[in-house]
Amino acid sequence: MQQNQLLKRTAIYTFLFAVSALAVIFYYSAHKIVVVADVAHDEVAQNTEPTNPEPVQKNEQEKNEILFEPNGQEMNYFCIPLHDVVKAENVTIENHYMDKELWVSLRQPELNKAFVNFYQTQGVYGNRDAVIDGYFEKGTDNFWLKFRLNDIYEYHSILEDNKLYIDFVAPKEVYDKIVVIDPAYGGDDTGAVSEELQGKDITLEIARALKQKLDETDMKVYYTRMDDNAPSDEDRIALTNAVKADLMIRIEVNENEDTKIYGTEAVYNSKFFIPGFGSVELADLLEREVVTAISGKANGLVDVSEEDVVIRRANVPAAAIRVGYVSNGQEAILLKREDYIEKIAEGIYQTILKAYTE
């Protein structure tokens, strides 16, 4: 008897669940609601094709400004009208968080002229508390709507009835765990160099290997760079503080006139103190885990100097790991090896995992 009752209950619950699921599907179908694909800054940074067209003349640039309508400011969402020929699968949002910009891509280049005509008369509207201004431009393979933001945001987006609705939210409202990874140097700043190595390339390779590991976790990870650009120290600090990261790890490479010196060390800020887990605790854990992963030599912890601007001014637990000396012949050989880079990344990865259990 009890078994029959149990089977009946199971059947009823299964039926109710199926009805609910179908109701949701029918609702979204009827309202034509589509969640638009999102792409983070670190995912578009390695794109080898230029996303910006050739610079336009000043009078042409003025025509490209997006109109902002005054209506709908009481809405919770920022609303971007789309041409009625736009297909949902051709819409992508790119979060260029290092530049505090949001880009909307319409990948239907054959309709670029129609898009220009459309956005010369159609304005955006709704809640623009996060949006400073915007402009549109034609790319090689797509059409861009680009908006400057007043801070770093995450967002929720829905496409419904040819309108793209965006709700800007603070990162901490979306993610429980937030980490910033800062591959040092970039651009003209090569960092420490040897005959065949540049510090900027080593730190970037480590960050890319680390990203593959962190992408498999539930953490939100922001990267100050994922290509050969050169964010300023101020931009790196601003990102770390704006997203209210739980911790920030900077990756550096060392050099010394004495070519016999080698090993790994971590930089911390002795003036930054919070109970439990602060800068020194992070630096200590970071050095231990990386040295263990590479079976290397630990040189100890180093307090920040005036040159260590990023670590000194971060308002979160922050530390830098100096992964080796390119001036040392043996370590330079190791830093060229993919498996060695992988081991360094594993050490940093383990640091992050254990930091959340400290």
Side-chain angles (χ1 to χ4, degrees), residues 4 13 39 49 89 109 128 159 190 193 198 279 299 303 305 324 337:
N4 289 337
Y13 290 148
V39 181
E49 296 183 7
E89 62 268 24
R128 56 171 296 189
L159 196 160
T190 61
V193 296
Q198 296 187 95
S279 180
N299 290 341
D303 199 356
S305 64
R337 287 171 42 179

Side-chain angles (χ1 to χ4, degrees), residues 146-163:
K146 300 183 178 182
F147 299 93
R148 287 197 307 140
L149 309 179
N150 56 26
D151 208 340
I152 295 172
Y153 294 97
E154 291 298 324
Y155 52 87
H156 306 295
S157 62
I158 290 176
L159 196 160
E160 179 183 11
D161 296 329
N162 292 103
K163 294 181 179 64

Side-chain angles (χ1 to χ4, degrees), residues 128-174:
R128 56 171 296 189
D129 289 347
V131 183
I132 298 173
D133 56 27
Y135 61 98
F136 63 84
E137 62 186 21
K138 293 185 290 184
T140 305
D141 299 316
N142 50 9
F143 186 87
W144 292 104
L145 301 169
K146 300 183 178 182
F147 299 93
R148 287 197 307 140
L149 309 179
N150 56 26
D151 208 340
I152 295 172
Y153 294 97
E154 291 298 324
Y155 52 87
H156 306 295
S157 62
I158 290 176
L159 196 160
E160 179 183 11
D161 296 329
N162 292 103
K163 294 181 179 64
L164 180 60
Y165 296 94
I166 299 176
D167 180 23
F168 294 97
V169 292
K172 273 296 185 184
E173 293 182 25
V174 183

Side-chain angles (χ1 to χ4, degrees), residues 44-109:
V44 301
Q46 298 181 53
N47 187 356
T48 56
E49 296 183 7
T51 54
N52 285 312
E54 293 297 320
V56 295
Q57 299 298 320
K58 183 177 180 181
N59 61 344
E60 209 175 340
Q61 181 68 43
E62 289 173 354
K63 293 180 182 178
N64 287 345
E65 292 180 359
I66 292 176
L67 300 173
F68 281 79
E69 304 288 356
N71 57 304
Q73 293 186 17
E74 71 283 354
M75 296 171 57
N76 291 327
Y77 295 93
F78 180 64
C79 181
I80 305 172
L82 300 177
H83 197 291
D84 57 13
V85 299
V86 172
K87 298 178 181 178
E89 62 268 24
N90 291 331
V91 180
T92 304
I93 300 176
E94 296 183 0
N95 187 358
H96 290 249
Y97 53 78
M98 284 300 292
D99 302 315
K100 295 182 181 178
E101 290 188 351
L102 187 81
W103 296 10
V104 178
S105 167
L106 309 178
R107 296 185 310 281
Q108 293 173 267

